[in-house]
């Protein structure tokens, strides 16, 4: 295992803080959090429900720390279903030991099949029988991605598994999500939201969250619409009619007004680009209703498919 100096942790903390828009003052705290996770003071247990593993893949796009450092050195990963070598009963033993010891951060990726336990098993055991204890004994629970946060695609209209988000599942088990659950939606979740939430929580504890959605303010306060580079077109009511046109993408199905996250600032793939800058409407991937209804734009093909019901007076914060 490599040895990192305090200076290197501070550099990574500064990069994370800049990505959050928190400013340099937050860097030491984030550096401290990364250092605690790195040193094993904070272990991370990662479990998967109904998911495509896309949020784990997204984590591999992490920068500073990069994916290899992150997975092999930073995250004292007790278990991860895709990355860990252990499988079957060995995996169950590892998870049970972690649960008995307690004091870990639990990351859950994917939704929970509340009506079809066999839809998601681990070592021959339904996830729904392992998860309650894992949730109870965790210091913090992070729902990684929209499936884990709100049900997402597996909870789409007509699903038969009873796919539920982690918060809903916690409540069904009598576990209070307040001050314990942090929802980090996205399809997939941005790696910075996961690494940042882990680092912040390891250093400073439970972050400030939206009181209904449990999404951390540092990543999910403003809507995509609030900070959109095409917002001036919206103000002038100049709308694109076809993909590739100048103008606001609202009439091409943009869900930026309903989707709260900081895509306009941090973008994707190390700041290379993001949906609206690439000329595509926001698909609303962080919104609680993402992909739940057949009418959702995610499932619709072509231009002019919809304009969402949206009242500008409901907009909070951001550009004016
Ligand atoms: S509707 Fe979409 S494209 Fe138009 S300003 Fe809002 S986020 Fe940007
Ligand atoms: S712009 Fe919208 S659809 Fe694209 S990643 Fe951000 S929240 Fe998701």
């Amino acid at each position: 295992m490599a040895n990192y100096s305090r200076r290197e942790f501070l550099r990574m903390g500064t990069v994370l803080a800049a990505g959050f828009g928190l400013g340099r003052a937050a860097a030491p705290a984030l550096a401290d959090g990364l250092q605690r996770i790195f040193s094993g003071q904070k272990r991370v247990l990662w479990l998967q429900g109904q998911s495509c593993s896309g949020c784990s893949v997204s984590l591999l796009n992490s920068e500073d720390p990069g994916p290899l450092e992150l997975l092999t050195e930073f995250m004292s990963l007790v278990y991860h279903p895709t990355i860990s070598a252990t499988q079957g009963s060995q995996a169950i033993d590892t998870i049970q030991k972690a649960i008995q010891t307690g004091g870990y951060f639990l990351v859950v990726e994917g939704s929970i099949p509340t009506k079809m336990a066999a839809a998601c098993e681990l070592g021959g055991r339904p996830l729904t029988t392992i998860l309650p204890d894992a949730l109870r004994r965790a210091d913090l629970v992070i729902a990684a991605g929209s499936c884990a946060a709100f049900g997402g695609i597996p909870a789409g209209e007509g699903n038969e598994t009873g796919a539920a988000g982690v918060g809903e599942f916690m409540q069904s088990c009598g576990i209070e999500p307040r001050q314990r659950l942090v929802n980090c939606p996205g399809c997939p979740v941005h790696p910075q939201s996961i690494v940042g939430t882990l680092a912040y929580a390891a250093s400073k504890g439970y972050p400030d969250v939206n009181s209904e959605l449990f999404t951390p303010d540092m990543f999910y306060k403003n809507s995509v619409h609030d900070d959109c580079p095409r917002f001036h077109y919206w103000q002038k009511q100049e709308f694109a009619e076809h993909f590739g046109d100048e103008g606001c993408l609202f009439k091409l199905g943009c869900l930026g007004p309903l989707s709260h996250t900081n895509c306009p600032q941090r973008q994707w793939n190390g700041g290379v680009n993001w949906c609206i800058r690439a000329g595509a409407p926001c698909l609303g991937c962080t919104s609680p209703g993402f992909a739940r209804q057949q009418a959702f734009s995610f499932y619709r093909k072509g231009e002019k498919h919809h304009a969402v019901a949206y009242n500008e007076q409901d907009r909070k914060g951001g550009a004016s």
Side-chain angles (χ1 to χ4, degrees):
M1 185 177 281
N3 284 317
Y4 289 90
S5 64
R6 178 69 184 161
R7 181 187 290 270
E8 282 164 308
F9 280 113
L10 271 171
R11 181 183 58 75
M12 288 185 262
T14 305
V15 171
L16 276 176
F20 307 162
L22 294 180
R24 294 179 74 88
L30 294 169
D32 200 41
L34 285 171
Q35 207 161 357
R36 281 187 200 191
I37 295 169
F38 173 74
S39 65
Q41 287 177 49
K42 266 298 160 201
R43 293 163 310 129
V44 178
L45 173 61
W46 190 296
L47 296 177
Q48 258 174 5
Q50 295 169 285
S51 85
C52 66
S53 302
C55 293
S56 288
V57 174
S58 176
L59 202 65
L60 297 173
N61 280 319
S62 157
E63 283 196 312
D64 252 343
L68 198 63
E69 292 163 298
L70 185 71
L71 297 174
T72 59
E73 295 172 5
F74 273 92
M75 285 205 186
S76 300
L77 264 179
V78 181
Y79 176 76
H80 186 294
T82 330
I83 296 156
S84 298
T86 48
Q87 298 292 330
S89 58
Q90 265 187 330
I92 293 287
D93 289 348
T94 306
I95 293 165
Q96 293 295 8
K97 270 189 206 139
I99 292 173
Q100 277 157 21
T101 312
Y104 50 85
F105 288 162
L106 174 66
V107 181
V108 182
E109 174 182 2
S111 59
I112 318 302
T114 58
K115 292 187 184 158
M116 192 187 286
C120 193
E121 295 188 339
L122 190 60
R125 278 188 56 188
L127 178 71
T128 46
T129 64
I130 299 166
L131 203 50
D133 281 347
L135 290 164
R136 275 190 195 97
R137 304 275 296 171
D139 281 352
L140 179 84
V141 177
I142 298 178
S146 292
C147 302
F150 307 126
I153 295 173
E157 209 173 343
N159 97 90
E160 294 183 1
T161 63
V166 174
E168 190 180 333
F169 183 74
M170 287 171 89
Q171 278 169 334
S172 73
C173 299
I175 305 168
E176 173 58 53
R178 262 164 233 289
Q179 296 294 313
R180 177 178 286 256
L181 172 67
V182 181
N183 278 330
C184 291
C187 188
V189 61
H190 195 283
Q192 241 179 27
S193 303
I194 296 297
V195 178
T197 301
L198 287 167
Y200 183 93
S203 167
K204 306 195 97 174
Y206 193 78
D208 289 337
V209 297
N210 177 293
S211 58
E212 286 168 26
L213 302 177
F214 302 114
T215 47
D217 289 344
M218 53 190 165
F219 309 115
Y220 296 96
K221 192 163 189 186
N222 286 357
S223 73
V224 167
H225 184 65
D226 286 333
D227 299 323
C228 179
R230 296 188 186 228
F231 188 78
H232 60 103
Y233 291 123
W234 165 273
Q235 287 176 308
K236 290 184 280 180
Q237 298 287 285
E238 289 177 14
F239 297 103
E241 295 291 325
H242 305 284
F243 294 121
D245 287 354
E246 295 289 315
C248 167
L249 301 171
F250 187 71
K251 291 188 177 169
L252 292 173
C254 186
L255 297 181
L258 307 184
S259 203
H260 286 69
T261 190
N262 55 357
C263 285
Q265 291 89 8
R266 51 130 172 85
Q267 309 189 54
W268 282 86
N269 299 321
V272 172
N273 209 346
W274 67 291
C275 305
I276 286 177
R277 201 170 139 220
C282 168
L283 290 176
C285 81
T286 62
S287 66
F290 174 66
R292 300 291 296 261
Q293 308 294 324
Q294 283 184 26
F296 204 80
S297 64
F298 180 77
Y299 298 114
R300 308 285 289 276
K301 193 176 166 192
E303 299 176 344
K304 294 189 183 288
H305 43 249
H306 83 299
V308 294
Y310 170 67
N311 184 352
E312 178 67 7
Q313 285 165 351
D314 294 340
R315 192 169 63 85
K316 300 183 185 86
S320 57

